[in-house]
Amino acid sequence: MSVVPVRFQARKSIEQVEEGNDLAPKFDDRGLITVVTTDATSGELLMQGYMNAEALQLTISSGEAHYYSRSRNVLWHKGATSGLVQTVRELLVDDDQDCIWLRVDVAGGASCHVGYRSCFYRKVPIGADFETQHVDGHVQLEWTDTEKVFDPKDVYGNAPNPTVL
Amino acid sequence: MSVVPVRFQARKSIEQVEEGNDLAPKFDDRGLITVVTTDATSGELLMQGYMNAEALQLTISSGEAHYYSRSRNVLWHKGATSGLVQTVRELLVDDDQDCIWLRVDVAGGASCHVGYRSCFYRKVPIGADFETQHVDGHVQLEWTDTEKVFDPKDVYGNAPNPTVL
């Protein structure tokens, strides 16, 4: 853990934000920035989450992924409960600096609270596939992963499910 | 383009949303869902955007990526201006169905309005790298891609830059 506090620059111009070396992230009106997390080895999309400024600072200084949980309203050191810590191999920022890309290694090989390797375990049929698979226009999801890496009950016990209807 | 209107299910239970075959996407209070777009071949993260219900329906029926532009407040058929159409190879949805993952092929090989292949052309040094590279705590971005695929002026002319400070 770095002892130097991580600081961000103020956003001054489009040129600075898009073509400069300053990290000047744009947090939205909730104080959050979108995060996309992929597996550093396979390239697979593992999850999409959010960081507040503190989570981004902690991720930069520690090299482990920290998020902000919107459902629990807390800073969230990923893996603190489940053990499934994400070690950040690369942290990138997009053109207008309102999105962070984490390329990570995951202890235990799973990132999804439902127990799958990735949160994205179902596919939507599109185009001609949609035509042949819909039921009265309703999309029918196809499963791309049916084997859970862990049983959520073992890992999270009676903690409330974060999914909000 | 499918002639069958694409329909979504209402969100009824956590089990339905997480473990079922229904596509029951969660649009936020702006009517939007987060979209993560990666290159179907390289796995590289190209962009992160948003869809409203219509954009998701059009993407499913046409097989080409449609988004909702928050800066311009319009439905956005990606590539309509630039020619850089995204052909969707796979469309996946996450556990709680508040995020869409598009795996695409991009005509012209570029997805970023600044002219780069990906919107993510700068890296944030983390951990020990941050320690040695910060300036008074301020993060200094490193460039991972310095060659533009196109000149934005040629493609977009005098259209306003979508980046918001």
Side-chain angles (χ1 to χ4, degrees), chain A residues 127-128 130-131 134 137, chain B residues 1-6 57 60-62:
Chain A
F130 166 74
E131 290 280 348
H134 72 87
Chain B
M1 178 73 72
S2 162
V3 292
V4 179
V6 175
Q57 287 164 323
I60 291 170
S61 61
S62 72

Side-chain angles (χ1 to χ4, degrees), chain A residues 1-9 11-24 26 30 34 36 38 43-45 48 50 59-63 70 88-101 112-114 116 118-128 130-131 134-144 148 161-165, chain B residues 1-9 11-24 26 30 34 36 38 43-45 48 50 59-63 70 88-101 112-114 116 118-128 130-131 134-144 148 161-165:
Chain A
M1 179 71 74
S2 162
V3 291
V4 179
V6 175
R7 299 171 67 192
F8 307 131
Q9 294 282 1
R11 294 167 68 87
K12 294 165 206 157
S13 71
I14 287 177
E15 192 184 353
Q16 171 218 22
V17 166
E18 290 187 347
E19 307 265 14
N21 294 92
D22 289 351
L23 180 59
K26 184 176 177 68
R30 303 164 298 182
T34 301
V36 172
T38 61
E44 184 177 30
L45 179 58
Q48 181 269 316
Y50 297 89
T59 302
I60 291 170
S61 61
S62 72
R70 293 180 307 164
V88 181
R89 293 297 164 211
E90 275 196 329
L91 192 164
L92 295 104
V93 67
D94 73 337
D95 41 24
D96 60 351
Q97 302 203 25
D98 69 352
C99 185
I100 297 290
W101 176 16
C112 172
H113 77 276
V114 183
Y116 296 104
S118 159
C119 295
F120 296 81
Y121 46 83
R122 290 169 300 181
K123 198 166 85 167
V124 176
I126 53 177
F130 166 74
E131 290 280 348
H134 72 87
V135 175
D136 194 22
H138 285 293
V139 177
Q140 303 297 299
L141 299 175
E142 296 169 36
W143 291 68
T144 57
K148 294 195 181 187
N161 188 308
T163 290
V164 177
L165 285 183
Chain B
M1 178 73 72
S2 162
V3 292
V4 179
V6 175
R7 299 171 67 192
F8 307 132
Q9 294 282 359
R11 294 166 67 87
K12 296 165 202 156
S13 71
I14 287 176
E15 194 184 350
Q16 172 218 20
V17 166
E18 290 186 346
E19 306 265 14
N21 294 91
D22 289 350
L23 180 59
K26 186 178 177 69
R30 301 164 298 182
T34 301
V36 172
T38 62
E44 185 178 28
L45 180 58
Q48 181 267 316
Y50 297 89
T59 302
I60 291 170
S61 61
S62 72
R70 293 180 307 163
V88 181
R89 293 297 166 210
E90 276 196 329
L91 193 163
L92 295 104
V93 65
D94 74 335
D95 42 22
D96 59 353
Q97 302 202 25
D98 68 353
C99 185
I100 297 291
W101 176 15
C112 172
H113 77 275
V114 183
Y116 296 104
S118 159
C119 294
F120 296 81
Y121 46 81
R122 290 171 300 180
K123 197 166 86 166
V124 176
I126 53 176
F130 166 74
E131 290 281 349
H134 71 87
V135 175
D136 194 24
H138 285 293
V139 176
Q140 303 297 299
L141 299 175
E142 295 169 37
W143 291 68
T144 57
K148 294 195 182 186
N161 188 307
T163 291
V164 177
L165 287 184

Side-chain angles (χ1 to χ4, degrees), chain B residues 150-161:
Chain B
F150 65 87
D151 183 337
K153 282 209 183 67
D154 295 343
V155 170
Y156 299 108
N158 292 319
N161 188 307

